[in-house]
């Protein structure tokens, strides 16, 4: 007898969009759904994000793997500082 447990895959929720004016490195913490990883432009392996130059960056938050992989996107908008 083989028992199989079927579970619903997690849904990746990256959180609300974020607008800021300063040129700082942001440490990307987990999205609303824990256990995922961030990827996208200017994201390093440690999960740090540097928004330089100013602009709009769409980052992806991924949770799970294989057929249970779920991805969410969060927009980071770094505006020019005047």
């Amino acid at each position: 007898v083989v028992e199989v447990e079927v579970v619903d895959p997690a849904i990746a929720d990256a959180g609300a969009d974020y607008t800021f004016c300063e040129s700082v490195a942001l440490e990307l913490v987990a999205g609303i759904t824990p256990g995922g990883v961030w990827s996208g432009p200017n994201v390093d392996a440690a999960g740090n994000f540097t928004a330089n130059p100013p602009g709009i960056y769409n980052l992806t938050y991924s949770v799970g793997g294989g057929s249970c992989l779920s991805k969410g996107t969060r927009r980071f908008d770094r505006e020019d500082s005047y």
Side-chain angles (χ1 to χ4, degrees):
V1 174
V2 175
E3 290 185 29
V4 176
E5 180 182 1
V6 177
V7 296
D8 290 326
I11 303 299
D13 186 344
D17 294 344
Y18 184 64
T19 300
F20 57 103
C21 295
E22 300 169 13
S23 176
V24 296
L26 301 173
E27 180 180 353
L28 298 171
V29 295
I32 304 301
T33 309
V37 294
W38 289 98
S39 61
N42 300 353
V43 176
D44 67 19
N48 297 308
F49 165 59
T50 304
N52 197 17
I56 295 172
Y57 297 85
N58 292 304
L59 305 184
T60 302
Y61 186 68
S62 302
V63 177
S67 62
C68 293
L69 178 64
S70 178
K71 296 181 179 183
T73 301
R74 186 172 182 185
R75 175 181 156 153
F76 290 82
D77 184 0
R78 181 185 158 208
E79 298 178 343
D80 280 322
S81 305
Y82 297 104

